[in-house]
Amino acid sequence: MQANGAAQFGRFLFVLLSAVPIVAGVGYALLYSLGLTGVMAEGMTGAHWREVLRDAAFWRTIGFSLYVALVSILIALAIALALVLRSPRTFTKGSLSYMIYLPLSIPAIVMAFFIFQLLGKGGWLSRLAHQLGMISALGQFPDWVNDNYGIGIIVAHVVMAAPFFTIFFANLYENERLGDYLHLATTLGAGRRQRIFRVGVPILLRRGLATVFLYFMFVMGSYEIPLLLGSQSVQMVSIRTIQRLQRYNLGDIPEAYAISVAYTVLVVVLLSALLWFNRRQMRPS
Amino acid sequence: MSRTVKAMLVGLILFPFAFLLMLSVGRQWPYPALFPQQWSLANWAMVWGGSEGLSNSVAISVLLSTSVAALSTGTSFWVSRHIAYHPKREAWLSMAYLPYVFAPVILAACLQFFFILAGLYGTFGGVLVAQLFITFPYGVIFFSSFWNERLRNMEQLVKTLGGNSRQAYAKVLIPVARGALATCFFQLFLISWFEYGLTNLIGVGKVPTLTIRVFQYVNEANLFLAALASCLLVFPPLLLLWVNRRVVFKG
């Protein structure tokens, strides 16, 4: 009886701390965006949603967030896969197996600051280029931070994600006994390219798909890095939402909440696609 | 992998740490000098001296992250057991992924109203509760794979021998879970320690953790103090990583 009560209380606590905040948050944002609550509440209206969905800047924001996440993850994956498939034991044994963890101790805000000081016009690389005679003035250095292509944001995410994926794939390589498969492929006459692109990469990517996808979502919703390294003209979704919420114009708040709900819907759709894909992969052929 | 490539990788890994350390002890760095023209430990002395509020931020960050990690680890360990042994375990567990649908900063934006209502807006307690919303589900997911039939049998053995639930936890479950508890605490500490957006939004700048300080110094264009605060942010995770080396490697 007592154990049953404890179990029920445990599950109540679980719902309270996991589901209630999300349902409350999305519910409030939805009600606000529909004009049903908040200081500017004017009764049920779809005006804010129409405004957001017709606004080209909103779609640019979504597109830019997807682009930054996609490019960052693809580059980080390419680096991690190349390192692990070239020399898998380096990252599970020896000094590098410990050192590869060090970059994980750098928070996003510190990484953003570091990349700003490295790639900015007055940054270390610009100074190096000046010392090497490649440029003669600060203005000649390219715009690699606060630029419209998100170069600084992408570099920061790649520097953070590449060590993470290297550790992840090096462990997968061992756990999945990929070495044995590659050896088998060699015995069957596969060349170096075939071993890598027909065996190594597909197995690692298929096994790590969920983690890669969750990291993709993390990059898409990132805040600190685009806050320091992003531009004002093309913004990532978190930046646009928070900026609209913190403006003095109260009329922007319902739109900020509409963006939050729209982003949540997008994430849920992408997650559902992942689950569907995963289930299809698991189904016996 | 050749020695040259290995050396290059080590250099690339250590470069950000060396760069931040260099700036934290620098004073004047006019363009196009590669290194600061003056070196001084005065910035670091400020931390121990208590000026600039940096020591205060270190204390707040340590207190906040330790509290969040301890609370989340303890609660999620206990709760995850009740979820893991439920017949519809998968359905319950899927709820733990819900907070990751939102970016933490967007979650904070949507919950702002409720924090104001509860009188938690701009308070240490508010930031702590907000961080629990992200760390607790992570802990539940982390521990969900820990509970298994063997542990259940051990628990039942304790009860057969006349022990109660409390004794089962104290004498069997917690000692067996020591490694997992340490790893979970370490990871949750880092999540809290690294958090900026949610802390800034719910704390409204009144809970000046080290991440808030870094951004404040960057805004003030004080790159030497920003580098110093960055070093203070990076140092504890490095220390924890070193201490937990074996645990992390086992994980």
Side-chain angles (χ1 to χ4, degrees):
Chain A
M1 200 65 175
Q2 200 183 7
N4 208 14
Q8 276 180 359
F9 180 67
R11 287 194 288 273
F12 166 75
L13 205 60
F14 176 65
V15 173
L16 187 73
L17 288 172
S18 301
V20 169
I22 303 304
V23 174
V26 178
Y28 182 73
L30 188 65
L31 289 178
Y32 210 118
S33 67
L34 291 172
L36 293 172
T37 189
V39 278
M40 300 278 285
E42 69 266 43
M44 180 75 182
T45 170
H48 305 301
W49 276 93
R50 272 196 298 277
E51 201 155 326
V52 166
L53 295 175
R54 281 178 191 162
D55 185 4
F58 165 72
W59 293 106
R60 258 204 312 277
T61 295
I62 296 289
F64 186 65
S65 301
L66 284 167
Y67 149 79
V68 165
L70 196 68
V71 175
S72 307
I73 296 295
L74 283 179
I75 297 174
L77 281 179
I79 294 171
L81 286 169
L83 286 173
V84 170
L85 287 170
R86 190 186 165 91
S87 184
R89 288 189 166 236
T90 310
F91 302 102
T92 48
K93 286 176 183 68
S95 59
L96 259 176
S97 67
Y98 171 64
M99 294 198 84
I100 195 72
Y101 278 87
L102 298 185
L104 303 188
S105 66
I106 303 178
I109 187 112
V110 174
M111 185 56 79
F113 170 64
F114 165 68
I115 295 295
F116 191 87
Q117 292 304 327
L118 187 73
L119 300 185
K121 274 196 183 289
W124 199 76
L125 282 184
S126 164
R127 290 159 190 264
L128 188 68
H130 194 285
Q131 298 289 347
L132 293 173
M134 293 161 77
I135 57 170
S136 55
L138 189 138
Q140 290 172 353
F141 195 75
D143 290 320
W144 282 346
V145 296
N146 307 127
D147 63 305
N148 287 343
Y149 297 102
I151 295 173
I153 304 173
I154 291 170
V155 171
H157 279 302
V158 168
V159 175
M160 285 181 84
F164 172 80
F165 284 128
T166 304
I167 296 166
F168 176 66
F169 286 134
N171 287 324
L172 260 187
Y173 189 101
E174 273 212 342
N175 296 341
E176 296 293 319
R177 301 173 65 163
L178 191 59
D180 294 347
Y181 287 110
L182 292 175
H183 186 71
L184 182 67
T186 313
T187 315
L188 294 172
R192 191 177 144 77
R193 265 177 168 271
Q194 284 173 313
R195 277 204 318 270
I196 292 174
F197 293 107
R198 295 278 176 98
V199 183
V201 173
I203 290 181
L204 289 177
L205 282 184
R206 193 168 290 181
R207 286 288 171 193
L209 183 70
T211 307
V212 171
F213 188 80
L214 287 176
Y215 206 102
F216 177 88
M217 310 300 278
F218 162 74
V219 175
M220 217 171 87
S222 67
Y223 178 65
E224 296 93 327
I225 289 176
L227 185 66
L228 275 185
L229 302 173
S231 86
Q232 280 300 315
S233 49
V234 204
Q235 293 172 318
M236 286 186 73
V237 71
S238 298
I239 302 291
R240 187 169 175 82
T241 308
I242 301 304
Q243 271 194 1
R244 295 212 146 213
L245 270 178
Q246 290 179 335
R247 273 189 202 164
Y248 288 108
N249 183 4
L250 291 175
D252 281 340
I253 297 178
E255 284 171 36
Y257 281 124
I259 296 172
S260 304
V261 178
Y263 173 72
T264 310
V265 171
L266 174 72
V267 173
V268 169
V269 167
L270 290 174
L271 268 178
S272 310
L274 172 78
L275 287 174
W276 173 80
F277 186 77
N278 255 359
R279 255 185 226 142
R280 216 184 63 162
Q281 293 287 315
M282 306 255 287
R283 205 182 298 153
S285 52
Chain B
M1 190 177 281
S2 73
R3 280 190 167 191
T4 322
V5 179
K6 264 190 190 175
M8 273 171 63
L9 271 178
V10 170
L12 278 175
I13 289 171
L14 293 180
F15 181 69
F17 301 99
F19 186 80
L20 291 172
L21 204 61
M22 174 190 89
L23 286 185
S24 75
V25 292
R27 277 233 150 152
Q28 283 184 339
W29 198 31
Y31 192 86
L34 272 181
F35 304 104
Q37 288 182 339
Q38 279 182 30
W39 304 84
S40 160
L41 286 172
N43 289 343
W44 281 89
M46 266 193 248
V47 182
W48 318 121
S51 56
E52 279 287 333
L54 265 173
S55 49
N56 185 35
S57 288
V58 173
I60 291 174
S61 290
V62 169
L63 186 66
L64 180 68
S65 299
T66 312
S67 312
V68 167
L71 265 172
S72 293
T73 305
T75 327
S76 61
F77 179 70
W78 183 72
V79 167
S80 66
R81 182 184 161 278
H82 299 300
I83 302 298
Y85 292 151
H86 194 276
K88 290 185 176 169
R89 165 201 156 103
E90 293 305 322
W92 277 94
L93 254 184
S94 60
M95 221 184 279
Y97 289 94
L98 274 177
Y100 302 100
V101 169
F102 269 121
V105 70
I106 295 185
L107 174 66
C110 293
L111 289 175
Q112 249 178 342
F113 166 76
F114 299 101
F115 277 84
I116 296 170
L117 214 64
L120 288 170
Y121 197 54
T123 65
F124 180 88
V127 175
L128 190 140
V129 171
Q131 290 196 357
L132 277 183
F133 293 158
I134 324 172
T135 51
F136 170 80
Y138 182 91
V140 173
I141 295 167
F142 180 91
F143 285 120
S144 62
S145 56
F146 171 77
W147 303 102
N148 54 32
E149 210 46 43
R150 191 177 72 91
L151 280 172
R152 205 170 199 182
N153 290 340
M154 283 164 87
E155 239 182 288
Q156 275 165 359
L157 185 64
V158 172
K159 283 178 186 163
T160 311
L161 294 171
N164 55 29
S165 285
R166 194 171 293 178
Q167 285 168 320
Y169 269 102
K171 304 279 182 190
V172 179
L173 298 177
I174 292 175
V176 169
R178 213 163 43 197
L181 283 166
T183 310
C184 185
F185 180 89
F186 169 64
Q187 293 186 4
L188 297 183
F189 180 91
L190 286 188
I191 293 175
S192 164
W193 187 258
F194 289 178
E195 176 46 52
Y196 169 75
L198 181 138
T199 308
N200 187 38
L201 224 66
I202 300 296
V204 219
K206 289 179 187 167
V207 187
T209 57
L210 278 170
T211 49
I212 304 285
R213 285 275 179 212
V214 172
F215 193 73
Q216 181 196 325
Y217 291 137
V218 170
N219 263 347
E220 291 169 2
N222 193 339
L223 68 112
F224 304 113
L225 281 182
L228 172 63
S230 299
C231 287
L232 292 172
L233 260 174
V234 170
F235 182 65
L238 281 180
L239 190 74
L240 272 175
L241 194 61
W242 185 72
V243 170
N244 277 277
R245 194 175 164 182
R246 285 182 187 168
V247 179
V248 170
F249 272 49
K250 272 183 198 165

